[in-house]
Amino acid sequence: MRVQVAIIGAGPSGLLLGQFLGKAGIDTVILDRSSRAHILARVRAGVLEEGTARLAEAAGVGRRLRAEGLPHDGFSLAFDGRDHRIDLFDLTGGKRVIVYGQTELTRDLVEAREAESRLTIYEAANVVPHGFDGGTPHVTYEKHGVTHRIDCDFIAGCDGFHGASRKAVPQGAIRTFEKVYPFGWLGILADVPPVDDELVYANHPRGFALCSMRSRTRSRYYIQCAQDEKVEAWSDERFWDELRRRLPAHHAEAITTGPSFEKSIAPLRSFVAEPMRFGRLFLVGDAAHIVPPTGAKGLNLAASDVHYLATGLLEHYQDRSNAALDAYSGRALGRVWKAVRFSWWMTSMLHRFPATGDFDQKIQEAELAYLTHSRAAETVLAENYVGLPY
Ligand code: RFL
Ligand code: PHB
């Protein structure tokens, strides 16, 4: 088989890229090691920047997002038993974010791809990119015990942090930067109304907590937990009790509890691989960078990478210019590092670090106090949260 662009990974990066290229008449195949059902059931991000929503619209998958997504004009920082609202809309001159689950966006993208009869190969084992440094880029994979080869012009490595694309790059050609945080997030989904109309990010001596949502009837809650915590140790009852303890009284009393139907633990890490291009192989989204979820930036960075790469590929095929492709890594990394900084800062400000001494604790409190007294400080937070321009 031969295609113009072989895409490894059917997460938001791969699916969105496939959608943009397909609209421009560029043929793609998407290969994923997981099943279609697994991909559609994955629960992850919930907050989209307006830029991400606009990209989804431009790719032809914005209809349900605009109809069902919840625009949010602000969120609360809760600490010291009280709330401080960050008025995103006012502080940024009219910008907001949209609460719309990654699960829903993935479904919209998968359905759009299927409606246009574009090929996705699920449950592809041993996917490996080859020849991207020379003139014969191709991808091999196994299915039902048979090895297949797909020849292409370019390979897009959209296969997440644990994928095969980054691993195929020779060690001397890539530089990585990593910070692992000494805790994780335990998250649940439950069909109960959210505690508030907006998100609540809580800093508490017992650890961070986040009240988020997927709709007016579905809540997503997270609590900071130890790195080696086991999901099985957390009954719903224990989770709800712990969440209540970490919130100011007015929120704790307002929580509606109910059975959870998803419960999982995610580790927290910052990671960047440089560059994001190796000959005819491009790394996109989580394959190239990871941010802790505190700033809600992971999916949004995947979207901006796709924007830069799709622009480059379109220029290559339509205008016979490689200028934007050559600029891909630099452009993407410029935006990535700013989001890495913001996500690290939000994480540092809101979590309890096991080994923190009194000095660092006081600095964290001063950081939060500064935010409540300085419009300039709030503006810095707000402009990063709604998403830096691209
Ligand atoms: P994905 O979504 O990981 O998709 C990668 C795909 O590649 C496949 N794959 C392979 N296929 C073939 N061969 C291999 N060897 C393969 N290895 C992997 C996988 O099956 C998968 O289908 O990466 P992508 O597309 O770059 O998307 C990135 C986002 O998923 C991620 O950044 C966000 O979910 C991060 N994130 C959040 N981002 C936000 O913008 N806002 C949020 O509110 C937000 N909250 C979160 C989050 C991530 C979380 N977790 C679970 C880490 C909350 C959490 C708890
Ligand atoms: C979510 O709803 O899953 C979510 C929201 C905000 C974050 C992280 C995750 O910062």
Side-chain angles (χ1 to χ4, degrees), residues 43-47 99 185 199 201 208 210 212-214 220 222 293-297 346 385:
V43 178
R44 284 190 172 177
V47 176
V99 171
W185 278 19
L199 270 59
Y201 289 81
F208 170 77
L210 170 59
S212 182
M213 65 192 76
R214 289 294 175 270
R220 179 77 165 149
Y222 297 98
T294 327
K297 287 286 161 253
M346 284 282 277
Y385 194 84

Side-chain angles (χ1 to χ4, degrees), residues 48-340:
L48 307 186
E49 296 169 358
E50 178 58 31
T52 305
R54 271 206 288 267
L55 281 181
E57 273 181 322
V61 292
R63 197 192 50 76
R64 204 161 66 91
L65 187 162
R66 289 295 186 200
E68 296 175 21
L70 304 172
H72 279 214
D73 290 353
F75 63 83
S76 280
L77 290 175
F79 58 96
D80 230 1
R82 65 202 162 91
D83 264 342
H84 177 77
R85 182 168 187 265
I86 302 293
D87 189 334
L88 296 172
F89 193 81
D90 177 47
L91 290 161
T92 60
K95 295 189 179 144
R96 40 168 69 110
V97 292
I98 297 145
V99 171
Y100 188 67
Q102 181 171 329
T103 316
E104 303 309 313
L105 183 61
T106 303
R107 197 177 110 200
D108 298 340
L109 286 162
V110 165
E111 285 177 0
R113 190 167 178 86
E114 288 170 357
E116 284 142 15
S117 304
R118 301 203 171 101
L119 183 61
T120 305
I121 300 169
Y122 297 105
E123 297 173 78
N126 271 331
V127 181
V128 183
H130 307 269
F132 46 85
D133 249 352
T136 55
H138 61 282
V139 179
T140 55
Y141 70 97
E142 288 164 25
K143 181 118 192 192
H144 306 309
V146 181
T147 302
H148 301 267
R149 169 176 172 144
I150 298 173
D151 288 284
C152 54
D153 301 332
F154 297 104
I155 303 168
C158 304
D159 47 354
F161 182 65
H162 300 286
S165 301
R166 198 179 66 250
K167 288 188 192 123
V169 175
Q171 271 204 351
I174 193 166
R175 193 162 169 214
T176 60
F177 304 83
E178 184 170 39
K179 182 177 179 66
V180 177
Y181 301 86
F183 40 73
W185 278 19
L186 168 62
I188 66 157
L189 262 182
D191 276 331
V192 292
V195 66
D196 197 270
D197 291 341
E198 295 183 338
L199 270 59
V200 181
Y201 289 81
N203 175 317
H204 188 272
R206 294 181 68 86
F208 170 77
L210 170 59
C211 308
S212 182
M213 65 192 76
R214 289 294 175 270
S215 69
R216 293 200 173 82
T217 55
R218 179 168 292 183
S219 297
R220 179 77 165 149
Y221 291 109
Y222 297 98
I223 54 173
Q224 175 185 347
C225 64
Q227 251 170 338
D228 54 0
E229 196 66 65
K230 296 276 173 286
V231 166
E232 304 75 52
W234 287 84
S235 64
D236 285 354
E237 207 183 352
R238 182 174 174 211
F239 183 94
W240 293 119
D241 283 347
E242 186 59 37
L243 177 66
R244 269 192 292 250
R245 284 178 169 172
R246 296 183 187 190
L247 299 175
H250 65 286
H251 286 316
E253 284 154 20
I255 281 201
T256 309
T257 62
S260 71
F261 60 90
E262 203 272 346
K263 197 183 280 159
S264 54
I265 293 179
L268 265 71
R269 124 180 31 238
S270 303
F271 174 89
V272 182
E274 289 189 0
M276 288 169 60
R277 178 202 185 158
F278 308 89
R280 290 171 172 264
L281 169 69
F282 297 86
L283 299 182
V284 185
D286 278 16
H289 42 73
I290 294 285
V291 287
T294 327
K297 287 286 161 253
L299 173 60
N300 293 299
L301 280 183
S304 53
D305 288 357
V306 167
H307 164 73
Y308 294 126
L309 183 56
T311 304
L313 290 168
L314 260 62
E315 279 192 26
H316 171 86
Y317 286 111
Q318 294 174 347
D319 308 332
R320 300 187 181 281
S321 161
N322 284 329
L325 268 190
D326 291 342
Y328 168 70
S329 181
R331 279 186 185 157
L333 282 166
R335 192 164 193 276
V336 163
W337 272 112
K338 292 186 197 111
V340 168

